[in-house]
Amino acid sequence: MFYLIGLGLSYKEDITVRGLEAVKKCERIYLEHYTSILMAAEKEELEEFYGKPVILADRELVESGSDEILLDADKKDMAFLVVGDPFGATTHTDLVLRAKKAGIPVEVIHNASVMNAVGSCGLQLYNFGQTVSMVFFTDNWRPDSWYDKIWENRKIGLHTLVLLDIKVKEQSLENMARGRLIYEPPRYMSISQCCEQLLEIEEARGTKAYTKDTPAVAISRLGAANQTFKVGTIEELSQYDAGEPLHSLVILGRQCHELELEYLLEFTDNSEKFKKDVAADQEYFKPAPWVPPAEEDDNEL
């Protein structure tokens, strides 16, 4: 059996009972180590908790070495551990498809992820639209395909969850070109950097999918004991120090329910200003009133 097991958001104990029972009977255990990290548990702690060695699976191994991961999974139990929920990244879906094509039985054991735990900031999950990812910009690579998705969400009034980039076991272009297996220190995008990039692309696009005054929610270390939330405009959050990673951001949509707003006010030092910012944003994105089409004149037919 090939097990795809979600670990939850932060602690080694966040794994489900069923997931832990599966891990303990597996021959090999891989930990996916590039889309996210467990904030409160290191590899060595997991190994002690499971009573078994854990193999770190970087992007190259998962995307190019699936045969190695799935080796003998048709005869023995193997586990692939994913921070959050197993289907939080498309590469995990690809791994399941490869296993099924090879005739390997697959069992998926789900867990909490940022996609549902984001509701702890007070915003209702069914008011969210498409989720987008914000990657680190470089001098010659500043992708902005996510902008159109935010615009689509905003036009129909929905909130947008923005997932912030992490870089684990990444090579510099020079080391990659020279074939040197030297890796850069891990990097985690901050709320402030994400907001700076949002503002840069809005200035370049100029179509106002959002503005510097658009309200947003900064989320830090979701699921950990020291998780924090902060609300403000995108411009204000571009100056915000969100502390240690991991971070994510929510851009508010026009349909911000009064109960959502009441909850969000816990995370601001200036409630009156934030209420005004939300009201102004809702007014700006309010759809035009519906006008019935003019009736055709039978005499003109």
Side-chain angles (χ1 to χ4, degrees):
M1 178 72 75
F2 179 64
Y3 289 97
L4 199 64
I5 302 172
L7 296 185
L9 291 168
S10 191
Y11 301 95
K12 62 181 184 292
E13 298 91 351
D14 285 347
I15 190 171
T16 64
V17 173
R18 189 160 67 94
L20 184 58
E21 290 175 348
V23 165
K24 289 187 173 181
K25 67 180 182 180
C26 285
E27 186 88 4
R28 288 197 314 277
I29 303 167
Y30 293 92
L31 172 62
E32 192 262 66
H33 193 59
Y34 65 92
T35 60
S36 191
I37 59 167
L38 273 180
M39 291 175 287
E42 300 291 336
K43 171 178 175 288
E44 293 74 19
E45 295 177 80
L46 293 178
E47 290 178 325
E48 182 179 356
F49 187 58
Y50 302 150
K52 295 192 173 187
V54 173
I55 304 166
L56 292 182
D58 59 17
R59 183 186 298 273
E60 182 179 357
L61 177 59
V62 177
E63 295 183 352
S64 304
S66 58
D67 290 343
E68 178 183 339
I69 294 173
L70 296 173
L71 182 65
D72 293 333
D74 56 336
K75 308 179 188 71
K76 304 173 183 178
D77 292 326
M78 307 295 177
F80 187 80
L81 311 181
V82 179
V83 175
D85 186 78
F87 289 125
T90 54
T91 50
H92 308 147
T93 305
D94 180 67
L95 198 56
V96 170
L97 290 174
R98 290 176 183 272
K100 290 183 175 181
K101 287 179 182 177
I104 298 170
V106 176
E107 183 171 339
V108 178
I109 301 176
H110 294 283
N111 210 318
S113 76
V114 64
M115 303 293 284
N116 53 19
V118 66
S120 60
C121 75
L123 297 176
Q124 298 165 5
L125 292 179
Y126 47 74
N127 285 339
F128 279 77
Q130 303 170 87
T131 297
V132 303
S133 296
M134 179 67 71
V135 301
F136 284 108
F137 285 178
T138 66
D139 291 340
N140 52 12
W141 189 60
R142 310 176 96 71
D144 62 356
S145 58
W146 43 264
Y147 181 92
D148 296 321
K149 293 183 179 180
I150 295 176
W151 186 213
E152 289 167 3
N153 288 345
R154 298 270 289 165
K155 282 192 289 188
I156 57 176
L158 300 179
H159 311 312
T160 303
L161 172 61
V162 184
L163 303 177
L164 277 55
D165 199 7
I166 73 170
K167 297 291 186 187
V168 179
K169 201 178 178 183
E170 296 281 337
Q171 292 176 275
S172 67
L173 291 177
E174 180 183 354
N175 286 330
M176 190 181 300
R178 294 177 180 273
R180 298 185 298 211
L181 295 179
I182 301 173
Y183 300 100
E184 301 291 294
R187 290 191 296 149
Y188 307 95
M189 182 179 286
S190 66
I191 293 292
S192 58
Q193 184 170 5
C194 173
C195 290
E196 288 171 2
Q197 293 186 182
L198 282 167
L199 294 174
E200 176 186 327
I201 297 303
E202 176 53 56
E203 184 177 356
R205 288 288 195 100
T207 50
K208 295 189 176 179
Y210 49 86
T211 71
K212 64 183 179 62
D213 297 319
T214 294
V217 187
I219 302 173
S220 307
R221 298 167 298 281
L222 184 64
N226 61 343
Q227 72 176 13
T228 60
F229 305 101
K230 180 72 172 179
V231 298
T233 65
I234 293 176
E235 183 176 52
E236 289 169 345
L237 294 178
S238 71
Q239 306 298 319
Y240 171 58
D241 181 359
E244 297 178 0
L246 297 170
H247 301 157
S248 52
L249 182 80
V250 179
I251 299 172
L252 263 63
R254 170 176 38 80
Q255 297 184 57
C256 184
H257 191 273
E258 59 184 20
L259 289 178
E260 294 179 301
L261 179 57
E262 181 180 349
Y263 204 107
L264 292 175
L265 292 178
E266 296 183 27
F267 312 127
T268 178
D269 298 325
N270 191 335
S271 296
E272 292 307 313
K273 180 183 182 303
F274 186 71
K275 285 192 284 188
K276 289 178 181 178
D277 290 336
V278 170
D281 187 69
Q282 291 179 343
E283 184 65 29
Y284 178 79
F285 275 91
K286 185 180 294 184
W290 181 77
V291 178
E295 295 183 5
E296 294 183 349
D297 190 338
D298 292 340
N299 295 329
E300 295 179 359
L301 298 178

